[in-house]
Amino acid sequence: VLALEVVLPTGEVLHTGSKAVKNVVGYDLTQLLVGSEGTLAIVTKITLRLIPKPPARETLAAAFATIRDAVNAVTALIAARVVPAAIELIDDASLRAASEFSGRTFPGRVLLIAECDGSAPAVADEIARVDEACRSAGALDVSRAVDDEERAALWLVRRQVSLALRATGLLKINHDVVVPRGRVPALFEVVAELRQRFDLLIAAFGHAGDGNIHVNLMIDPQNAAARERASAAEQQLFQRVVALDGSISGEHGIGFAKARYLHLELAPEQIALLRRVKAAFDPNGILNPGKIFDSAP
Amino acid sequence: VLALEVVLPTGEVLHTGSKAVKNVVGYDLTQLLVGSEGTLAIVTKITLRLIPKPPARETLAAAFATIRDAVNAVTALIAARVVPAAIELIDDASLRAASEFSGRTFPGRVLLIAECDGSAPAVADEIARVDEACRSAGALDVSRAVDDEERAALWLVRRQVSLALRATGLLKINHDVVVPRGRVPALFEVVAELRQRFDLLIAAFGHAGDGNIHVNLMIDPQNAAARERASAAEQQLFQRVVALDGSISGEHGIGFAKARYLHLELAPEQIALLRRVKAAFDPNGILNPGKIFDSAP
């Protein structure tokens, strides 16, 4: 996001940033406004920097017997500094749901989808290294998409996971926690531990290459005890993620749902500063009250 | 910059951001603090995301007869979406100074240095396209560095420009204006116009690939009339850059020197908001008073 046109809650129209790729004049209000969840100003125009469509793209799916093997492949890639455009991990609970939903079967219990893009020679080199890392980590099957149709079929699995989890009839409580890339294995250990300790179905999938995993607590909405266990598990998850130097939200933000957990990640003096920044934009507190900050200071 | 430890002027120690590559919890204070010129808080720790050293690197220097030809090469690269790691342009005034300073001669009056990095095959492909674009734009000579020693020799020219300009004995008033990439030709037209209109030696060089050009007004410090002309030229330069959707500073910020020009780029209501943000961090105004904002509101 290079530039914004915004309207302040007090009525002024502002233009932040510029079309130039560098700009250090005044404070960076553009990045401050991005992700502010509509609590600072109303965005009325966005200037984006576009990146050329990569000339080449390669996609592969690797099936594994266990989440540990799949995570080992991700860790090996990170250690080898291979950074595909996407490394998506679909754990066994998620893949089982996707399989039941679509009728498709997979040659393993856990699926990793990786996509590399860039210039043709660079992509050929990179996808070969991803392929090799998956096989070394014990992949049961590695298949490459040979054309756009096959690529679309691979991505369809990933895209159907959320839909498939919802189709189970269970209530899907979705979190988008994130940890430093090297700590993805530790995050999956935490998920396994919570599953056992709180006797919950937990489906985890997402952007393993970013350390950003969707952790879905799947509960019977009629089961009050399960709801309580999920609530306790949720709090544990957030505490453990913060202890791993991660964050309780990598994409979706705090909103109403996580406002009561903000203090798990941010210190009281930081929350107080955020409130002062909020007041600098919105002195009357009329924009999205209750989002990010759950109560009066 | 992933995370910061800062001390607020009121004494609180804060930790912003996290080691995870994504984090959308609360407002992005990290990016707000970056480039705030010490006016919001004192930074005591910085967590950087490191990028792997590119396995391959290719560097070339292309000599041109005129700045117009060199700028045309840059424009052709941008239009073809070839984005080298660096495209540095050294105009005739800058190159003449560098030549006198170092005793080296060049096969043209203007020099363009480009460097591509990444995987070996991608780099080979990209540098060939840069080479071709320079020749098509009328380069008099294109030479590639064959090893690190030759690469260092090419970059030495670029690194010596500032030193060489200072060695002329003239006062070097350096600005780091920036325009959208496609408007680099227009910026060089503005520089040529100012040179004529204000009868000043102006040496321009820098990061053409980013649209970020160091424009140096070179004046005899004893010549009061020249100082006045430089002051008028400076104001014109900033106005024209803003009219080109650019910014009066792409790297170095506002500081004391440009505080009186802040209003050329930012509207009064935006400056008022920046001051409220400043007050949210520094209610007593004790950090770097006079920087960015030149007077009391």
Side-chain angles (χ1 to χ4, degrees):
Chain A
V1 177
L2 287 177
L4 294 173
E5 179 191 88
V6 301
V7 183
L8 294 185
T10 40
E12 302 95 317
V13 177
L14 293 189
H15 295 86
T16 73
S18 84
K19 285 181 191 164
V21 295
K22 288 174 170 179
N23 177 341
V24 293
V25 173
Y27 306 135
D28 188 346
L29 297 184
T30 308
Q31 291 307 317
L32 185 68
L33 286 158
V34 169
S36 62
E37 305 189 20
T39 62
L40 298 181
I42 307 289
V43 176
T44 48
K45 208 178 278 181
I46 304 176
T47 304
L48 296 169
R49 175 176 171 188
L50 301 182
I51 293 170
K53 190 178 171 187
R57 187 183 299 271
E58 288 276 3
T59 313
L60 70 68
F64 293 88
T66 68
I67 189 72
R68 185 183 295 257
D69 289 348
V71 167
N72 283 345
V74 174
T75 307
L77 287 172
I78 290 165
R81 292 167 180 168
V82 179
V83 186
I87 315 181
E88 295 289 313
L89 206 52
I90 304 174
D91 82 346
D92 39 2
S94 309
L95 194 62
R96 204 163 49 235
S99 189
E100 280 163 17
F101 181 77
S102 66
R104 279 176 73 172
T105 56
F106 301 96
R109 298 180 64 189
V110 170
L111 200 67
L112 184 151
I113 303 176
E115 189 162 283
C116 302
D117 63 21
S119 73
V123 166
D125 181 57
E126 197 172 76
I127 198 77
R129 295 173 71 181
V130 176
D131 194 317
E132 174 53 30
C134 290
R135 290 180 201 276
S136 296
L140 305 172
D141 181 81
V142 180
S143 58
R144 297 226 200 148
V146 298
D147 54 27
D148 282 343
E149 202 178 326
E150 280 195 25
R151 189 186 336 277
L154 286 183
W155 280 115
L156 185 64
V157 184
R158 170 63 183 82
R159 266 199 295 274
Q160 283 182 334
V161 170
S162 268
L163 213 58
L165 288 171
R166 272 192 217 101
T168 59
L170 296 173
L171 180 66
K172 173 178 173 292
I173 305 171
N174 177 20
H175 295 299
D176 66 322
V177 296
V178 58
V179 291
R181 282 174 169 151
R183 290 185 164 169
V184 170
L187 176 57
F188 275 96
E189 277 166 30
V190 168
V191 169
E193 199 188 309
L194 295 177
R195 212 176 257 143
Q196 279 219 311
R197 182 165 155 202
F198 294 98
D199 186 24
L200 287 169
L201 177 61
I202 304 182
F205 65 94
H207 324 298
D210 292 338
N212 183 203
I213 304 293
H214 294 279
V215 176
N216 297 274
L217 313 180
M218 307 293 299
I219 59 168
D220 174 354
Q222 310 305 330
N223 185 336
R227 291 191 83 124
E228 264 177 48
R229 294 202 307 278
S231 180
E234 176 176 282
Q235 175 142 1
Q236 263 295 307
L237 173 68
F238 292 154
Q239 283 171 336
R240 299 289 292 275
V241 160
V242 170
L244 289 170
D245 288 333
S247 175
I248 65 174
S249 179
E251 288 181 341
H252 302 169
I254 296 301
F256 295 121
K258 284 179 216 152
R260 68 181 185 282
Y261 295 124
L262 191 66
H263 70 280
L264 293 181
E265 183 162 339
L266 304 183
E269 51 274 24
Q270 182 154 357
I271 296 176
L273 176 59
L274 294 183
R275 285 184 186 276
R276 294 197 298 275
V277 171
K278 158 84 172 165
F281 281 78
D282 183 18
N284 304 312
I286 61 172
L287 289 182
N288 273 349
K291 283 205 175 172
I292 301 181
F293 310 105
D294 69 337
S295 61
Chain B
V1 178
L2 288 177
L4 295 173
E5 179 191 89
V6 301
V7 183
L8 294 185
T10 40
E12 302 95 318
V13 176
L14 294 189
H15 295 88
T16 74
S18 84
K19 285 182 190 164
V21 294
K22 289 173 168 179
N23 178 340
V24 294
V25 173
Y27 307 135
D28 187 347
L29 297 184
T30 307
Q31 291 308 315
L32 185 69
L33 286 158
V34 169
S36 63
E37 306 187 18
T39 63
L40 299 181
I42 306 290
V43 176
T44 47
K45 207 178 280 182
I46 304 176
T47 304
L48 297 169
R49 175 177 170 188
L50 300 183
I51 293 170
K53 189 176 172 189
R57 188 181 297 270
E58 287 276 2
T59 312
L60 70 69
F64 294 87
T66 68
I67 187 73
R68 185 183 296 257
D69 290 347
V71 168
N72 283 345
V74 174
T75 307
L77 287 172
I78 289 165
R81 292 166 181 167
V82 179
V83 186
I87 315 181
E88 295 289 313
L89 206 53
I90 304 173
D91 83 346
D92 39 2
S94 309
L95 193 61
R96 204 163 49 237
S99 187
E100 281 163 16
F101 181 77
S102 65
R104 278 176 73 170
T105 57
F106 302 96
R109 299 181 62 189
V110 170
L111 200 66
L112 184 151
I113 303 176
E115 189 162 282
C116 302
D117 62 21
S119 72
V123 166
D125 181 58
E126 197 172 75
I127 199 78
R129 295 173 71 183
V130 175
D131 194 316
E132 174 54 29
C134 289
R135 289 180 201 275
S136 296
L140 305 172
D141 181 80
V142 180
S143 58
R144 297 224 200 148
V146 298
D147 55 27
D148 282 344
E149 201 178 327
E150 279 196 27
R151 190 186 335 278
L154 286 183
W155 281 117
L156 184 64
V157 183
R158 168 64 182 82
R159 265 200 295 274
Q160 283 181 334
V161 170
S162 268
L163 212 59
L165 288 172
R166 271 192 219 102
T168 59
L170 296 173
L171 180 65
K172 174 178 172 291
I173 305 171
N174 177 20
H175 297 298
D176 65 322
V177 297
V178 58
V179 292
R181 282 175 170 151
R183 291 185 162 167
V184 170
L187 176 58
F188 275 97
E189 279 166 27
V190 167
V191 169
E193 201 188 308
L194 295 178
R195 212 176 255 142
Q196 279 221 309
R197 184 167 154 201
F198 294 98
D199 186 25
L200 287 170
L201 175 62
I202 304 183
F205 66 93
H207 324 300
D210 291 338
N212 183 203
I213 304 294
H214 294 278
V215 176
N216 297 275
L217 312 180
M218 306 293 299
I219 59 170
D220 175 354
Q222 310 305 329
N223 184 335
R227 290 191 84 124
E228 264 178 47
R229 293 201 308 279
S231 179
E234 175 176 283
Q235 175 143 358
Q236 262 296 306
L237 172 68
F238 291 155
Q239 283 170 337
R240 300 289 291 276
V241 159
V242 170
L244 289 171
D245 289 331
S247 175
I248 66 175
S249 178
E251 288 180 341
H252 303 169
I254 297 300
F256 295 122
K258 286 179 214 152
R260 68 182 187 279
Y261 295 125
L262 191 66
H263 70 281
L264 293 181
E265 184 164 337
L266 303 183
E269 52 273 25
Q270 183 155 355
I271 295 176
L273 176 60
L274 294 183
R275 284 185 187 276
R276 294 198 299 275
V277 171
K278 158 84 171 164
F281 282 78
D282 183 19
N284 305 313
I286 61 171
L287 288 183
N288 271 351
K291 284 207 174 171
I292 303 182
F293 311 105
D294 67 338
S295 59

